[in-house]
């Protein structure tokens, strides 16, 4: 099979490319950046998803598209770029795929379409109302519609995967990581809240600074610790590959992520203990993050079975931390 992987230089995309190459497929990447992969089975188009000519070149001679690339930002200043990449870009890639007679198109959506932070019921299933609260979540919902539409009016099979939060294990304990920095580390979290204009949260976090770098256990205003899914990239890649090849995936919508959510009150003390940093607890205004998303459909329909629960990821995260320290 010749597979187009968009977002081929990104976290999930670059891993999926390597998996496909190892399985003997021909792979083309499509990303703003080169994936820097030197393999006889790999070629790439470096360009933007909303560039019609680049999208046509990317889809030429392709059997299946894994549209994993997107722009992720929650900053108001990034709003135009967000819609250009995720909505207009998805429309143009999906149209190019139909024009090239691609057989299957897999789209990386997000749990933010529900939304996860204010669910009507839990665990969140695929039938939960789709009412995103973030512009990013809205771009993903619009992307789902654009892809599904193309499937409806052509013979191209579509698969929607609503991704859980996803990380490489070696990012988990990196204060400079885009995700883990502000999620687990106090000073990066202060910076993030300042950038979002959340002055009260930033002040509360700053007041807890022990005068040296620290981890932070965030809870809501009633002291309920945050809880959310954090899925290892390797498990996500396994789900993406099932969506690519499984006959029962065609036309389907699936939540894709770890089976159990991560309880921050359980994991943060372990992190602090393993790296020897202080841990502070901060109660932030609002209802906080506390959700459980069901992956039952993809487990039952496609046989998805995640293999990297958070504690297993942590072992690798600690090893990466130790390497960075030395
Ligand atoms: P990533 O940021 O690591 O990679 C995304 C890639 O897309 C980057 O290499 C970037 O250069 C490329 N890209 C962005 N805008 C582009 C454009 N306009 N044209 C061409 N290339 C462009 O992301 P990831 O963590 O690998 O996520 C993969 C997918 O999963 C994305 O669609 C993302 O929205 C979705 N998702 C991710 C998470 C997560 O926690 N990582 C959670 C839910 C959904």
């Amino acid at each position: 099979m010749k597979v187009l992987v968009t977002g081929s230089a990104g976290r999930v995309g670059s891993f999926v490319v390597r998996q496909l190459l190892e399985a003997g497929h021909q792979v083309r990447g499509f990303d703003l950046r080169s994936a820097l992969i030197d393999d006889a089975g790999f070629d790439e188009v470096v360009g933007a998803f909303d560039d019609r000519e680049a999208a046509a070149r990317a889809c030429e001679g392709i059997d299946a598209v894994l549209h994993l690339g997107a722009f992720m930002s929650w900053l108001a200043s990034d709003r135009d770029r967000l819609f250009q990449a995720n909505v207009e870009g998805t429309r143009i890639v999906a149209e190019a795929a139909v024009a090239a007679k691609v057989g299957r198109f897999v789209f990386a959506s997000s749990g933010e379409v529900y939304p996860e932070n204010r669910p009507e019921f839990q665990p969140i299933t695929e039938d939960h109302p789709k009412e995103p609260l973030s512009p990013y979540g809205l771009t993903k919902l619009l992307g789902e519609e654009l892809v599904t539409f193309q499937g409806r009016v052509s013979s191209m099979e579509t698969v929607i995967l609503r991704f859980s939060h996803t990380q490489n294990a070696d990012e988990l304990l990196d204060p400079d990581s885009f995700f883990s920095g502000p999620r687990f580390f106090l000073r990066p979290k202060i910076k993030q809240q300042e950038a979002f204009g959340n002055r009260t949260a930033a002040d509360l976090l700053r007041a807890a600074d022990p005068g040296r770098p620290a981890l932070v256990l965030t809870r809501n205003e009633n002291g309920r610790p945050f809880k959310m899914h954090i899925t290892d990239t390797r498990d996500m890649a396994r789900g993406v590959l099932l969506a690519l090849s499984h006959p029962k995936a065609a036309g389907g919508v699936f939540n894709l992520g770890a089976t159990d959510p991560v309880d921050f009150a359980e994991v943060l003390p372990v992190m602090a203990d393993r790296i020897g940093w202080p841990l502070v607890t901060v109660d932030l205004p609002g209802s906080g993050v506390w959700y459980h998303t069901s992956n039952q459909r993809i487990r039952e329909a496609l046989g998805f079975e995640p293999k990297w629960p958070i504690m297993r990821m942590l072992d690798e995260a600690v090893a990466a931390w130790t390497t960075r320290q030395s």
Side-chain angles (χ1 to χ4, degrees):
M1 212 171 3
K2 178 130 188 174
V3 184
L4 175 68
V5 180
T6 79
S8 40
R11 181 181 291 103
V12 181
S14 60
F15 191 76
V16 167
V17 167
R18 285 195 295 273
Q19 296 280 295
L20 288 168
L21 289 170
E22 275 172 34
H25 297 290
Q26 293 281 309
V27 185
R28 180 172 298 148
F30 184 18
D31 198 299
L32 287 172
R33 310 173 283 158
S34 168
L36 303 174
I37 291 173
D38 185 14
D39 188 293
F42 182 76
D43 65 303
E44 64 185 346
V45 173
V46 175
F49 300 144
D50 59 315
D51 176 339
R52 189 173 289 284
E53 184 275 327
R57 247 187 312 131
C59 289
E60 200 182 326
I62 290 295
D63 300 305
V65 174
L66 302 177
H67 186 32
L68 308 181
F71 181 49
M72 284 189 280
S73 174
W74 289 261
L75 294 173
S77 54
D78 283 332
R79 196 71 45 84
D80 290 348
R81 189 177 155 202
L82 190 69
F83 280 78
Q84 197 64 31
N86 298 359
V87 182
E88 190 60 357
T90 297
R91 180 178 76 85
I92 286 177
V93 173
E95 286 180 3
V98 170
K101 303 212 172 340
V102 162
R104 186 174 285 194
F105 191 103
V106 178
F107 177 60
S109 183
S110 163
E112 286 205 27
V113 299
Y114 289 126
E116 294 154 323
N117 287 350
R118 214 190 289 160
E120 284 181 21
F121 57 82
Q122 302 205 45
I124 301 167
T125 65
E126 290 81 354
D127 301 321
H128 189 282
K130 267 69 74 190
E131 291 164 0
L133 292 173
S134 66
Y136 166 73
L138 176 59
T139 66
K140 286 294 178 180
L141 185 57
L142 294 169
E144 287 190 9
E145 289 293 338
L146 290 162
V147 170
T148 306
F149 171 79
Q150 289 301 335
R152 200 182 303 133
V153 298
S154 76
S155 59
M156 184 170 77
E157 295 174 347
T158 62
V159 188
I160 305 294
L161 297 176
R162 296 197 179 124
F163 277 30
S164 133
H165 179 69
T166 305
Q167 289 200 224
N168 295 333
D170 63 7
E171 290 177 282
L172 266 188
L173 286 171
D174 182 356
D176 297 325
S177 145
F178 177 67
F179 285 133
S180 280
R183 181 157 293 121
F184 301 128
F185 293 88
L186 181 63
R187 288 177 179 170
K189 188 161 196 77
I190 295 170
K191 274 201 195 134
Q192 180 206 47
Q193 293 301 312
E194 282 169 345
F196 287 158
N198 295 339
R199 288 254 311 268
T200 311
D203 289 347
L204 285 166
L205 290 158
R206 212 175 291 107
D209 194 324
R212 53 173 288 206
L215 288 150
V216 60
L217 166 58
T218 37
R219 309 191 305 188
N220 79 352
E221 59 195 13
N222 298 320
R224 183 178 67 187
F226 282 19
K227 182 177 82 172
M228 61 182 280
H229 292 263
I230 298 178
T231 307
D232 189 289
T233 304
R234 287 163 285 199
D235 282 334
M236 296 306 282
R238 200 167 296 120
V240 170
L241 296 182
L242 284 169
L244 170 70
S245 56
H246 201 296
K248 285 194 186 154
V253 177
F254 302 96
N255 291 332
L256 175 59
T259 302
D260 298 312
V262 173
D263 181 340
F264 283 26
E266 280 176 16
V267 162
L268 262 298
V270 177
M271 287 178 165
D273 184 53
R274 302 273 310 258
I275 69 172
W277 276 25
L279 173 64
V280 299
T281 299
V282 179
D283 293 349
L284 295 172
S287 55
V289 177
W290 198 79
Y291 64 84
H292 179 187
T293 303
S294 169
N295 64 4
Q296 190 177 352
R297 182 184 287 179
I298 194 163
R299 284 194 290 124
E300 289 182 1
L302 309 188
F304 173 67
E305 209 46 67
K307 296 193 178 347
W308 289 87
I310 190 76
M311 289 305 177
R312 190 170 176 212
M313 290 174 77
L314 255 185
D315 289 337
E316 281 191 16
V318 172
W321 163 273
T322 309
T323 307
R324 276 193 300 275
Q325 297 309 301
S326 56

